[in-house]
Amino acid sequence: MSTWGAWLQKWRAGGDRASGETSGDGLLDLFSVQALYDRYGRAIYARAAADAAFSAAISDMVATIQENLRQKGPRVAKLLTDKTGLTFYLLGHTHTVLASLLDASVRPDSLSPASADPDFAAIRLGALFHLAFDGGLLQLPAHGGAPRSAR
């Protein structure tokens, strides 16, 4: 059985009771910024370290997101400092990235941003990771090494 199939069965059952996990938040766990970082973070940060243009694109995306939140007023801008709000905000961004990728794959002639930019997902995930580090959802280990999720 695929990893996806095993996860889906576990989610339908309400968690992994053998490990004490009974969370119904399976989808939150699957698409959380921590899970995405654990899977893609090292590759994105390695590429950003080696490619100044890619790193700048991530920084520009972070600045755009932060400015958009500030323009919507103090209640919305607070999302950047509230861990729960930030978690759900980043989950919404993840959904947007996935929706654009799906649109591009199902309708290649669509006007989806992912259709025009092969780095669409990597840049947006890099920006989400940056915001997650700033908001305390991801953290650097105390004794050096690679960044890791703050679960």
Side-chain angles (χ1 to χ4, degrees):
M1 176 181 299
S2 71
T3 303
W4 173 252
W7 175 87
L8 187 57
Q9 283 185 340
K10 182 173 114 175
W11 181 74
R12 283 186 183 154
D16 183 355
R17 297 191 200 304
S19 70
E21 177 191 329
T22 57
S23 168
D25 293 336
L27 290 176
L28 290 178
D29 294 339
L30 181 66
F31 295 112
S32 72
V33 71
Q34 292 90 347
L36 293 172
Y37 180 81
D38 289 344
R39 185 159 190 169
Y40 304 108
R42 287 182 190 233
I44 289 173
Y45 277 103
R47 181 170 171 203
D51 182 347
F54 182 73
S55 180
I58 290 172
S59 295
D60 290 346
M61 180 59 58
V62 169
T64 298
I65 291 169
Q66 290 171 330
E67 183 59 29
N68 286 340
L69 288 175
R70 281 188 208 99
Q71 287 179 356
K72 293 180 192 242
R75 288 183 71 194
V76 176
K78 185 180 180 222
L79 288 174
L80 293 174
T81 59
D82 174 65
K83 283 188 179 186
T84 302
L86 182 59
T87 296
F88 286 105
Y89 181 78
L90 296 178
L91 187 63
H93 265 281
T94 301
H95 178 267
T96 301
V97 170
L98 291 173
S100 187
L101 290 170
L102 289 169
D103 193 45
S105 68
V106 172
R107 291 179 252 159
D109 58 337
S110 74
L111 298 176
S112 166
S115 297
D117 183 3
D119 291 330
F120 172 84
I123 289 169
R124 277 146 186 86
L125 286 177
L128 298 183
F129 299 152
H130 182 102
L131 292 169
F133 274 113
D134 285 351
L137 299 177
L138 296 173
Q139 63 188 2
L140 292 171
H143 44 72
R148 51 181 241 171
S149 63
R151 291 190 222 204

